[in-house]
Amino acid sequence: MREIGSLPAIFHLSIIAALFVAQFILPPFHHSMLTRIMVLAAYASGYNILLGYTGLMSLGHAMLFSTGLYSVGLTILYLGFEPLAAFTVALISSLVISLLLGAITLRTSGVFFLIVTMIFSQVFYLTTLYFNNITYGDQGFVISQYLHPINMGFFQIDFADRTVKYNLSLLVFSVAFLLSLYVSRSPLGLVLAAIKENPDRAEMLGYNTYRYKLIAFALSGTIAGMSGAVYALVFSYIGSSLAFIHNSINPLLWTLLGGAGTTTGPLVGTMLMVYVIDVTSSFTESYLVVVGIALILIILGFPKGIVGSIRKRWLTWLP
Amino acid sequence: MGIEVPITLGILDGVVVAMVAALTALGLSLVFGIMRIVNVSHGEFYMLGAIIAWFVVTYLGSFLLALVLAPLAVGGLATAVERTILKKIRYDPESTIVATIGLLYAIQQVVLATFGPYAREVSPPFYFRVDLGFFGYSGYKVGVAVISAILIAAVYLLIYKTRLGLFMRATQQDTEIAQAFGVPVRKVYTVSFALGAALAAAAGVLIVPIQQAYYLMGLDALLLSFIIVIVGGLGSIKGTLVAALIVGLLDGVVSVFFSPTLSRILSSLLVAGVILVRPRGLFGSGKTM
């Protein structure tokens, strides 16, 4: 077993530290951009565990993201849950849903896996529309008026405060980021890499590949659900559009752009894409055309992504 | 008036939906069978068929012309995509998916910019009511089912009775051996991809007098095709037809009593059931994946 090298550990911790320090320096606009980016990068990092480290391409993660999102939204709106209790429900439900979804979809492989995850995710989306008397469908609902500040004795956590939002995003990103570092370095990660490289050989060596893939799927899905839950707490908006296929394609795009199978790639890809879309949507409504062209160009000329290419050329120690 | 009328209507509508969906799914299945790739922008080819039909009918006034021009134009576009993008990524299954997702967005946005965000109507090329004793049924819908059936039969004949079809089947079975025996695999790929796209476009033209042309209509068609090929087994014509009928009838009958959304949810649960029992679909061959 490889030991966790100290260089990658220091590197990752200093990225988190830099993100922490950034909140004191950044002007308000970039402060709020980075808040958004970190939540979405957490989502992409979870996605990367499946795509980059296990070699499974899912088009169903919007369902897992929305499981977290709706768990928080619905328990707070209808049951009057406190944020922490709602978040716990979100974690448990996204773990359960990912295990269920994984157990069914992992019976298939390759493009079948992709199609089937997409079908199920779309069912989830349609279900949120079908029960629009509860979920408010496409229009969605806002929970900010129910998010009471948490009293911690000597200070208060007020969800309307931008510093709280920023650090909540940073927290969820750090968890996802360090988990993917763990996956890239741990014995579990090595088995997943073996499955990615050659599933038949891994099976022949005695690994129950189905079980390992299910573990990766559940980990990835729970991180997606956790990101969805934090998204609901930070942006206070819960709507069907976040369960739509676009939101399954997003983490795929961000991960590929930054570099699948690199721990920092999802952050880099998300950051670049969120800024690119922000810039383009100011002069054209159809920012999706940018997404489309970006996907085609990446796959044609840049399959390793940004960090993947940097790693290959200069920083070979990068996990 | 009992329950027979809505049920019969539901079944008839279901068959019409099934035939158009079978035509669309057949294109997807054909491309997968021969090239081993999944074209995620397949639904956009269907949508383009509908949009082109609207343009042709509105400005040239002929539905029949639309039924010829739209598949040709979309087939041409598909040929260009195949020659430039797919060839460059060497038909790698996952890269193809990413590239065709990109294409999906690009096509959608170009249509949005030119055609606009409206759902536009095309009137059917002919009106008559088929008298079924206790009620009448739209003659055009019957026509759609018949034309779809003819096109599906034509594809069947092409694949099993012509030299090109022989090449296609040889490529499907083993690309390298086919190449070694002088099958022009590159051309077979181009033709198959264009044919798959043209079938989707033809389905789009046929549906437009029933459903209106709209720039976001492709995703639903793609999903329905996915459900059908998963249930029927990718690459099998028989499976595609049987699955389309099951899904179409379910859709038609459930939509009579409940909402179409519920019928889509149910047919997706059917997918779950099929995967649990037969991961390769009802008629999928063992070697598919």
Side-chain angles (χ1 to χ4, degrees):
Chain A
M1 292 299 126
R2 272 189 292 173
E3 283 190 17
I4 294 178
S6 59
L7 188 57
I10 293 168
F11 176 69
H12 285 73
L13 290 175
S14 43
I15 286 180
I16 293 174
L19 287 170
F20 181 78
V21 173
Q23 65 181 310
F24 305 111
I25 308 164
L26 288 176
F29 172 72
H30 296 284
H31 187 281
S32 71
M33 284 293 269
L34 207 56
T35 306
R36 173 174 290 274
I37 286 167
M38 287 187 297
V39 180
L40 299 177
Y43 179 29
S45 296
Y47 186 86
N48 186 34
I49 290 179
L50 202 60
L51 176 69
Y53 293 109
T54 321
L56 288 168
M57 196 187 270
S58 146
L59 275 184
H61 266 51
M63 172 176 175
L64 303 166
F65 182 88
S66 311
T67 300
L69 185 86
Y70 275 102
S71 297
V72 164
L74 296 177
T75 52
I76 288 179
L77 184 66
Y78 290 104
L79 306 174
F81 274 32
E82 290 303 316
L84 201 62
F87 183 77
T88 314
V89 171
L91 269 192
I92 295 168
S93 59
S94 44
L95 175 65
V96 171
I97 297 281
S98 353
L99 281 173
L100 274 176
L101 184 66
I104 296 174
T105 55
L106 286 169
R107 288 176 60 85
T108 62
S109 59
V111 288
F112 275 85
F113 174 74
L114 203 132
I115 293 176
V116 174
T117 48
M118 177 178 161
I119 290 175
F120 281 110
S121 186
Q122 195 65 11
V123 173
F124 187 92
Y125 167 70
L126 291 175
T127 311
T128 63
L129 289 183
Y130 187 70
F131 292 104
N132 64 359
N133 52 337
I134 301 171
T135 62
Y136 297 95
D138 256 342
Q139 198 190 337
F141 58 94
V142 172
I143 53 168
S144 50
Q145 69 271 35
Y146 305 103
L147 286 175
H148 310 299
I150 302 176
N151 207 333
M152 301 290 281
F154 53 95
F155 74 106
Q156 272 198 334
I157 298 180
D158 181 2
F159 287 92
D161 183 35
R162 69 184 195 114
T163 311
V164 170
K165 287 177 195 276
Y166 187 96
N167 288 294
L168 210 56
S169 305
L170 176 61
L171 187 67
V172 69
F173 171 72
S174 307
V175 170
F177 190 52
L178 294 176
L179 270 174
S180 53
L181 174 67
Y182 166 75
V183 166
S184 73
R185 301 264 119 183
S186 68
L188 169 70
L190 291 179
V191 179
L192 295 180
I195 293 172
K196 182 187 175 186
E197 294 306 322
N198 194 335
D200 293 334
R201 190 179 295 170
E203 186 85 51
M204 214 132 68
L205 286 170
Y207 290 107
N208 183 344
T209 55
Y210 178 80
R211 213 179 76 197
Y212 277 99
K213 283 195 269 187
L214 190 57
I215 292 172
F217 193 93
L219 188 59
S220 168
T222 310
I223 294 175
M226 182 176 71
S227 317
V230 171
Y231 190 96
L233 290 173
V234 168
F235 300 105
S236 158
Y237 170 75
I238 291 99
S240 293
S241 61
L242 289 159
F244 196 54
I245 175 135
H246 295 325
N247 203 27
S248 290
I249 293 172
N250 279 336
L252 169 70
L253 169 66
W254 299 327
T255 305
L256 285 176
L257 178 63
T262 65
T263 50
T264 39
L267 175 66
V268 174
T270 309
M271 195 178 284
L272 188 65
M273 215 57 216
V274 169
Y275 271 101
V276 165
I277 284 175
D278 184 70
V279 171
T280 47
S281 60
S282 60
F283 58 87
T284 166
E285 282 173 38
S286 49
Y287 72 90
L288 280 173
V289 78
V290 178
V291 174
I293 292 168
L295 279 170
I296 296 176
L297 291 182
I298 293 167
I299 215 69
L300 279 181
F302 206 44
K304 282 188 174 31
I306 296 167
V307 180
S309 304
I310 292 175
R311 173 168 68 183
K312 191 172 179 232
R313 201 163 293 174
W314 297 294
L315 306 172
T316 45
W317 53 268
L318 219 58
Chain B
M1 280 270 281
I3 201 164
E4 306 87 14
V5 173
I7 291 253
T8 317
L9 213 64
I11 290 175
L12 286 174
D13 275 351
V15 172
V16 174
V17 167
M19 292 313 289
V20 177
L23 194 60
T24 319
L26 185 61
L28 190 78
S29 188
L30 197 72
V31 168
F32 177 79
I34 293 164
M35 303 167 72
R36 297 270 167 250
I37 56 170
V38 173
N39 173 17
V40 184
S41 56
H42 194 69
E44 307 316 306
F45 291 154
Y46 167 89
M47 177 268 283
L48 277 178
I51 303 288
I52 294 172
W54 181 85
F55 275 110
V56 172
V57 171
T58 307
Y59 293 105
L60 301 174
S62 164
F63 188 81
L64 199 64
L65 197 60
L67 197 53
V68 176
L69 282 183
L72 278 180
V74 174
L77 173 70
T79 307
V81 168
E82 196 271 341
R83 293 252 166 102
T84 52
I85 301 173
L86 299 188
K87 186 182 164 196
K88 185 135 190 256
I89 55 178
R90 299 198 194 99
Y91 312 99
D92 174 68
E94 291 195 335
S95 306
T96 302
I97 281 167
V98 177
T100 50
I101 289 173
L103 195 63
L104 176 153
Y105 281 137
I107 293 176
Q108 231 175 49
Q109 295 305 316
V110 169
V111 170
L112 175 63
T114 52
F115 182 78
Y118 321 103
R120 300 186 200 243
E121 275 183 55
V122 172
S123 46
F126 51 83
Y127 289 100
F128 62 87
R129 296 198 75 74
V130 180
D131 193 13
L132 292 170
F134 45 97
F135 69 103
Y137 192 68
S138 154
Y140 177 72
K141 286 191 182 174
V142 176
V144 167
V146 171
I147 297 171
S148 302
I150 292 172
L151 287 174
I152 293 170
V155 172
Y156 186 85
L157 289 177
L158 171 79
I159 291 176
Y160 288 99
K161 300 288 175 200
T162 67
R163 193 175 164 78
L164 175 64
L166 184 68
F167 284 171
M168 286 170 144
R169 280 180 290 139
T171 310
Q172 173 161 17
Q173 280 187 7
D174 194 316
T175 312
E176 282 172 17
I177 291 187
Q179 199 151 23
F181 275 80
V183 171
V185 169
R186 289 275 319 115
K187 277 185 189 148
V188 170
Y189 273 15
T190 311
V191 170
S192 308
F193 196 72
L195 179 64
L199 288 174
V205 176
L206 290 174
I207 207 71
V208 95
I210 303 175
Q211 270 186 3
Q212 302 183 325
Y214 181 49
Y215 83 106
L216 288 177
M217 69 195 286
L219 190 66
D220 205 41
L222 176 74
L223 229 64
L224 193 59
S225 301
F226 275 172
I227 291 172
I228 288 168
V229 293
I230 291 287
V231 172
L234 263 174
S236 153
I237 295 186
K238 192 169 73 176
T240 303
L241 264 178
V242 172
L245 280 172
I246 295 174
V247 172
L249 289 178
L250 189 73
D251 194 77
V253 176
V254 173
S255 300
V256 172
F257 301 102
F258 308 101
S259 80
T261 310
L262 186 67
S263 77
R264 196 51 46 81
I265 293 174
L266 286 178
S267 49
S268 308
L269 291 178
L270 181 72
V271 169
V274 168
I275 291 169
L276 287 174
V277 185
R278 286 182 65 97
R280 290 176 207 289
L282 296 179
F283 295 89
S285 56
K287 65 179 180 64
T288 317
M289 278 311 299

